[in-house]
Amino acid sequence: MMKRFYKTVETAAAEGGFTLTLDGKPVCTPAKLPLIVPTQALADAMAAEWAAQGDEVKPATMPLTQLASTSIDGVRDRLDAVAEASAVYGESELVCYRAVEPDELIQRQASLWNPLLDWAARRYDAHLLVTSGIMHKPQPADALKALRAAVDQLDEWHLTALQNAIGITGSLLVSLALVDRHVSAEQAFELAQLDENYQIEKWGEDWEAADRRAVQRADLAHTVRFLDLLR
């Protein structure tokens, strides 16, 4: 945190997009690069985050600004590395590993996860294999290649959103479906948390887990808003 050092927040056109200014001075990213985003809508939303700060500036309360800065500082010049780190999740895709018991959980996984696998097969021609238990099962090379191609199609803004979603869900397919707008933030959260939700129904939830899940749910919602504002 730092003391608020500005009074006015405005947006302005800039080379390659739109930026925001504090007391007339353009804002830069933490790496001191120009904070220029591709749409007026995203710039306006980021400006609202800065305008809403009180006596102290709290970066954690500005998720859109953080995502935009990550795109510029951490993804733009590392597209291949970030894409590779994201696509590798397909090798151990969450929704491909199913419970061996109880039957209720097995059926729930099939009901909610199988449609996502069907979507990936239709959308990307990625036919993944399902296994029971936690032992690693190699996926077909063609399927992994198709998923990598899907990730490679993303620009730095959408790749940032994908990377953020993977960090929350642990699933490449759920995250691709979110970026593709095949599922909502709430649906993505429920897909990724299926096993946890089942355990909570049976045994309850402690407050630390509840707080963590609340943060994750909010982060996914911010990611979807970021995507919406890119349109």
Side-chain angles (χ1 to χ4, degrees), residues 58-113:
K58 302 177 181 179
T61 65
M62 296 188 286
L64 299 174
T65 301
Q66 289 187 324
L67 285 167
S69 295
T70 298
S71 296
I72 297 167
D73 289 347
V75 177
R76 177 175 291 168
D77 293 332
R78 300 178 59 249
L79 287 174
D80 189 67
V82 176
E84 181 178 357
S86 299
V88 74
Y89 277 78
E91 297 177 8
S92 56
E93 172 53 48
L94 170 71
V95 304
C96 292
Y97 288 82
R98 306 298 174 84
V100 295
E101 61 177 355
D103 288 343
E104 182 182 3
L105 178 57
I106 294 171
Q107 293 170 5
R108 186 178 300 187
Q109 289 176 337
S111 175
L112 294 179
W113 286 351

Side-chain angles (χ1 to χ4, degrees), residues 1 30 32 77 93 101 127 167 202 205 210 215 219 223:
M1 294 186 296
K32 308 303 181 184
D77 293 332
E93 172 53 48
E101 61 177 355
H127 301 267
K202 297 301 180 183
E205 181 179 29
V215 170
D219 283 347
T223 303

Side-chain angles (χ1 to χ4, degrees), residues 20-39:
L20 57 93
T21 63
L22 305 178
D23 294 339
K25 298 179 180 179
V27 176
C28 289
T29 68
K32 308 303 181 184
L33 297 174
L35 183 57
I36 299 174
V37 295
T39 67

